[in-house]
Amino acid sequence: MARPGMRATVRDIAAETGLSIATVSRVLNGQSNVAPHTRELVLQVVGRLGDQAPRPRAAQETMAGGTVYVRCPYLLTDYFGLIVSSIGETVELHGGQMILSTGESARRPALSGLPGRSDIAGAILILPPEPGEELVRLRDRRFPFVVIDPRTPPPKDIVAVSAAHFAGARKLMAHVVELGHRRVGIIGGPVKWLPSEARLAGYTASLADVGVLPSAELLRNVLEPNAENGYRAACELLDLPERPTALVAFNDKMAVGALWAAAERGLSVPGDLSVAGFDDIDLSRATLPMLTTVRQPLQEMGRMAVTLLMRLLSRHTLEALHVSLGTDVIVRDSTGPAPR
């Protein structure tokens, strides 16, 4: 057997179990031609040796047929659909399976029930509505999970993946002010959402760079970030005695609502009014004019979440628990110079 402080070898595990080196190697390499009781015997020894033992290849490189529970308690629109599809493809690529819970019904099952489910290895939670305290309780039960796009600032030791909301919003507003706009209406997302606050901070930072202070008159927040609410908020802003020369929306759907409001008032875009969104979903390229927006790496967020979950399942130490992926401004036809 390996001496204390020395790393155990396949030969050591074979000696401990009484199995051949070839059989132990098949187990560690994740091959299927091994009897279940034999596989269990090898894995018990590996577990007892802990860090001294060679890790099974399944734990290192694949999900070894494990099942990942993916919860997205929202409609699978193009935004959430891109994230979920990339998760499914990546899980399958690594030999795992996915159980998907989506829509309003996905909000009912309590997270507290996940650790007791023997059919799942871990979970990926997309924009979870639960408070951080509930996520901490789930973590304290040693259940492996990753959060995508957290709604509130995640506790420091919760693994999370999101886009660089602040940086993307700041770059977008920098583009708008470079075009000469100073009176900019902001159609924000739900109050107290982490993405909403981060994007608002990015917008106001770029406005401050050119000496423009935040104005409550030019800010509208909505409860649900959809086109209808974007339209209503844009109507209020465009009906001000001194209307803004540009509107920046929390997402592309709300920017589409702003285009409706502009058309209803006979305003040309971008001649009379510039409009910009966020996300770069397919809808942003289906409008006339096409939307200037911020591209979020939605599919990469899904792939990164699976990678992080695999590392949790294999008990790797994660140095970066909160991963923020870069965003890019996509300039199209809906923004132009401020009208004189």
Side-chain angles (χ1 to χ4, degrees):
M1 203 62 216
R3 294 189 300 274
M6 299 284 290
R7 185 170 180 81
T9 65
V10 173
R11 186 180 299 276
D12 293 325
I13 297 174
E16 178 78 4
T17 58
L19 299 171
S20 68
I21 292 176
T23 299
V24 172
S25 294
R26 285 198 295 272
V27 174
L28 296 178
N29 286 324
Q31 297 180 18
S32 59
N33 56 336
V34 180
H37 69 275
T38 301
R39 184 185 305 279
E40 181 64 25
L41 177 60
V42 172
L43 293 180
Q44 284 177 358
V45 173
V46 170
R48 189 168 69 249
L49 292 175
D51 292 338
Q52 285 186 308
R55 298 296 297 169
R57 183 179 300 274
Q60 291 178 334
E61 300 173 4
T62 74
M63 308 202 78
T67 299
V68 177
Y69 176 79
V70 178
R71 191 186 70 161
C72 179
Y74 311 95
L75 293 176
L76 285 187
T77 58
D78 38 9
Y79 179 91
F80 293 112
L82 286 171
I83 297 174
V84 169
S85 63
S86 70
I87 292 172
E89 291 167 2
T90 309
V91 168
E92 184 178 3
L93 179 66
H94 290 284
Q97 297 176 317
M98 180 177 76
I99 295 176
L100 176 62
S101 179
T102 185
E104 291 292 330
S105 62
R107 301 191 183 200
R108 286 193 286 273
L111 296 182
S112 59
L114 292 179
R117 294 185 56 172
S118 60
D119 59 328
I120 57 177
I124 295 176
L125 309 176
I126 302 173
L127 197 64
E130 290 82 8
E133 294 80 5
E134 191 163 342
L135 298 178
V136 169
R137 285 195 291 270
L138 185 61
R139 179 216 58 200
D140 288 345
R141 296 179 66 184
R142 300 190 180 280
F143 180 79
F145 68 96
V146 176
V147 174
I148 293 181
D149 212 7
R151 182 183 293 208
T152 58
K156 63 180 181 179
D157 45 3
I158 298 294
V159 182
V161 182
S162 64
H165 298 289
F166 174 87
R170 183 166 191 166
K171 286 186 288 187
L172 178 64
M173 188 61 79
H175 162 70
V176 171
V177 299
E178 284 173 4
L179 292 171
H181 298 276
R182 296 296 182 269
R183 189 166 173 81
V184 181
I186 297 173
I187 306 175
V191 176
K192 295 185 179 180
W193 273 27
L194 178 60
S196 301
E197 295 179 350
R199 293 179 196 180
L200 179 60
Y203 298 145
T204 56
S206 282
L207 287 170
D209 288 340
V210 293
V212 178
L213 297 177
S215 170
E217 180 189 34
L218 293 173
L219 173 63
R220 297 292 186 277
N221 286 98
V222 303
L223 292 176
E224 289 291 335
N226 54 38
E228 291 74 17
N229 285 333
Y231 164 77
R232 283 190 280 269
C235 287
E236 292 181 15
L237 292 167
L238 295 178
D239 289 340
L240 290 172
E242 184 183 356
R243 66 172 175 81
T245 63
L247 294 177
V248 174
F250 174 75
N251 63 16
D252 292 336
K253 292 180 180 179
M254 295 171 68
V256 167
L259 291 177
W260 297 344
E264 192 174 74
R265 285 155 179 76
L267 300 174
S268 68
V269 177
D272 300 318
L273 177 74
S274 287
V275 176
F278 206 107
D279 291 340
D280 192 35
I281 59 176
D282 289 344
L283 182 63
S284 67
R285 296 179 291 279
T287 59
L288 189 64
M290 291 192 291
L291 281 172
T292 291
T293 187
V294 175
R295 176 173 294 159
Q296 285 204 73
L298 301 176
Q299 292 175 301
E300 185 59 28
M301 286 163 61
R303 288 189 286 265
M304 177 62 72
V306 176
T307 299
L308 292 171
L309 181 60
M310 288 173 60
R311 297 192 67 191
L312 289 176
L313 292 172
S314 60
R315 299 179 184 175
H316 284 285
T317 299
L318 300 182
E319 295 183 358
L321 295 179
H322 298 174
V323 179
S324 182
L325 301 180
T327 51
D328 296 305
V329 174
I330 308 300
V331 178
R332 297 199 180 100
D333 301 331
S334 65
T335 50
R340 295 179 180 178

